[in-house]
Amino acid sequence: MSTRNIDKLDLLLSKLDKKQLADFIRKECCNSKQLQDRFLALGAGTLFKPDSAKYASRVEDLIEDYSDRHGYIEYRATFDFNRAVTRILDEADEAMENVQWEVAVAVLMGIASISEDILNSGDDSAGELGAIVSACFEKWHILCDDELLPENLKSEIFDLALSRFKDKDLEGWDWWWDWIEMAITLADTPEKQDMVVKALDAIKSNDDDDNWSAKHNAEMAQKYKLEIMSRRGSEEDQIKFMYDNVSNPDFRKRLIQIVWDKADYDEVLRLAKEGVNHDADYAGLVTDWHRWEYRVYQQIGDRDNKLKLARHFFFNGGRWGEKEFYMNSTWSFGGQNGDKRLQKSAL
């Protein structure tokens, strides 16, 4: 709305009496369910008890409004649909600003409860549907981090988040892990932390499992369990846990960095070489482990092994950044003569 029209609106509002405004609002609300819902939302938390089902219903109505005759939201319509749902999400922001915690929780619970419906409602080529779910969880995290959030609501949200995670709500999407992140944030007692750990321990896989998704989920669960351990366990316990689960590439990287900082180059090499063998089917990880080998050889002045790795990067179609190893080793061995040695060594 232009500034000129806003000025006119303010002028008119200053002249209308209460009855005129009431008659207008009543008439327009009868003609528009969306306007009626938005207007009644003003009374949530004061005149009416906030109801998450009501907010879910409002979004379901929007899905129906923006869907075509086949019940599907087309690509172009997803942009307007996103804006319409965002107006509902904005009510959570307003509620938090006004310290109306129960309203904020109801809005977010309502929209989160139908996240899969939103994601499956139409063509998400532009990412507008996923953006709604992301925005919802962003607001969840803001709410969970708010120091003013009452203890009873913290417990309520903790129970909700842990329950949704255990029920595998949104499993297969990254948002599934948002539930456990919320639970971890609100796990402010040993009992709650134990509940989170138990839920994470239920997600298991093994090295013989060919299911990539199962392995990924198990590795993610281990990372979050380590986060819980960082709150209540010793550094030695955390390092032991990472060694016990060193097949998790994130843990291997952390351990390598730890021993590198301690100048324990033998252990860096052991972990890196073990990683090369363990992750042989994953070219990106193998490259990461070779990089660490190279750093060790460069640090200790092992020219022969530096040359072997430079040859590996050069003749195996190294990606950008790996050529630096090749160039470094080449000139270390005498510029262009080193380049010839590198090529001959491959014959």
Side-chain angles (χ1 to χ4, degrees):
M1 185 183 293
S2 67
T3 302
R4 183 178 180 182
N5 285 337
I6 291 176
D7 291 339
K8 288 183 177 180
L9 181 61
D10 289 338
L11 176 62
L12 180 59
L13 288 172
S14 68
K15 300 299 182 181
L16 294 175
D17 59 34
K18 181 178 179 179
K19 182 178 184 305
Q20 288 175 301
L21 282 173
D23 289 344
F24 176 81
I25 293 171
R26 186 178 295 106
K27 179 181 178 180
E28 292 304 311
C29 284
C30 288
N31 294 329
S32 171
K33 190 174 186 305
Q34 287 187 34
L35 178 59
Q36 180 186 122
D37 289 336
R38 291 171 61 189
F39 182 71
L40 290 175
L42 296 174
T46 53
L47 300 176
F48 320 116
K49 181 176 176 59
D51 183 2
S52 61
K54 182 61 178 178
Y55 292 100
S57 176
R58 288 173 61 184
V59 177
E60 292 283 13
D61 289 342
L62 288 173
I63 291 176
E64 183 176 347
D65 290 343
Y66 284 93
S67 294
D68 59 18
R69 59 192 180 89
H70 302 293
Y72 191 76
I73 303 179
E74 296 181 347
Y75 172 82
R76 292 181 181 277
T78 60
F79 295 90
D80 290 333
F81 174 69
N82 177 299
R83 284 190 285 271
V85 179
T86 296
R87 283 197 290 269
I88 299 177
L89 277 171
D90 288 344
E91 294 174 23
D93 289 330
E94 295 169 5
M96 284 188 274
E97 290 174 5
N98 295 323
V99 199
Q100 293 180 307
W101 305 114
E102 292 186 351
V103 175
V105 170
V107 173
L108 298 179
M109 282 180 64
I111 295 179
S113 69
I114 57 168
S115 290
E116 287 201 36
D117 290 346
I118 293 172
L119 294 169
N120 295 322
S121 65
D123 180 351
D124 200 27
S125 300
E128 294 295 308
L129 304 179
I132 294 171
V133 180
S134 292
C136 179
F137 278 104
E138 286 174 10
K139 296 180 192 303
W140 267 127
H141 290 302
I142 292 173
L143 182 64
C144 292
D145 287 332
D146 199 309
E147 296 179 353
L148 298 178
L149 186 65
E151 291 300 323
N152 66 312
L153 286 181
K154 286 183 180 180
S155 294
E156 181 181 336
I157 298 171
F158 172 83
D159 291 339
L160 168 75
L162 191 60
S163 174
R164 290 292 176 85
F165 179 76
K166 291 164 66 175
D167 290 342
K168 301 187 182 300
D169 181 48
L170 293 172
E171 183 185 20
W173 286 287
D174 287 342
W175 298 295
W176 181 39
W177 299 103
D178 279 280
W179 289 124
I180 202 66
E181 288 177 11
M182 290 165 55
I184 290 174
T185 297
L186 298 172
D188 52 5
T189 66
E191 291 75 19
K192 289 180 180 178
Q193 292 170 1
D194 287 340
M195 292 169 67
V196 172
V197 169
K198 184 177 179 180
L200 292 171
D201 282 343
I203 302 172
K204 297 179 180 179
S205 181
N206 57 67
D207 289 342
D208 298 327
D209 196 337
D210 292 330
N211 187 325
W212 178 89
S213 180
K215 286 185 177 181
H216 172 71
N217 287 344
E219 289 171 358
M220 289 291 290
Q222 290 169 354
K223 288 169 61 176
Y224 285 116
K225 184 174 179 179
L226 183 65
E227 184 175 341
I228 287 288
M229 293 180 67
S230 69
R231 293 188 179 188
R232 60 181 188 177
S234 66
E235 183 178 356
E236 290 74 17
D237 290 338
Q238 295 171 52
I239 291 176
K240 182 181 183 303
F241 178 73
M242 286 191 285
Y243 267 111
D244 289 343
N245 298 279
V246 73
S247 59
N248 185 323
D250 184 69
F251 289 176
R252 189 181 300 275
K253 290 175 183 178
R254 295 192 196 189
L255 289 170
I256 288 177
Q257 186 64 61
I258 289 171
V259 294
W260 170 267
D261 292 340
K262 295 179 179 179
D264 188 348
Y265 303 126
D266 288 340
E267 182 64 1
V268 173
L269 283 176
R270 189 191 72 78
L271 287 167
K273 289 179 180 294
E274 183 183 76
V276 169
N277 293 326
H278 183 273
D279 301 314
D281 294 333
Y282 303 95
L285 288 175
V286 170
T287 294
D288 289 338
W289 311 140
H290 279 319
R291 284 175 179 271
W292 278 108
E293 288 182 86
Y294 183 88
R295 289 184 67 181
V296 171
Y297 296 141
Q298 187 175 41
Q299 185 72 18
I300 65 178
D302 188 334
R303 295 173 51 153
D304 289 340
N305 278 313
K306 278 178 63 178
L307 182 59
K308 287 180 182 178
L309 279 178
R311 183 171 67 245
H312 165 82
F313 287 124
F314 183 77
F315 288 104
N316 285 278
R319 299 170 299 180
W320 183 91
E322 289 155 18
K323 298 298 184 185
E324 67 189 63
F325 297 133
Y326 160 68
M327 294 301 295
N328 185 300
S329 294
T330 294
W331 289 106
S332 295
F333 281 87
Q336 294 181 351
N337 291 330
D339 184 60
K340 293 177 182 178
R341 283 185 59 189
L342 181 63
Q343 296 183 40
K344 286 181 180 180
S345 66
L347 300 177

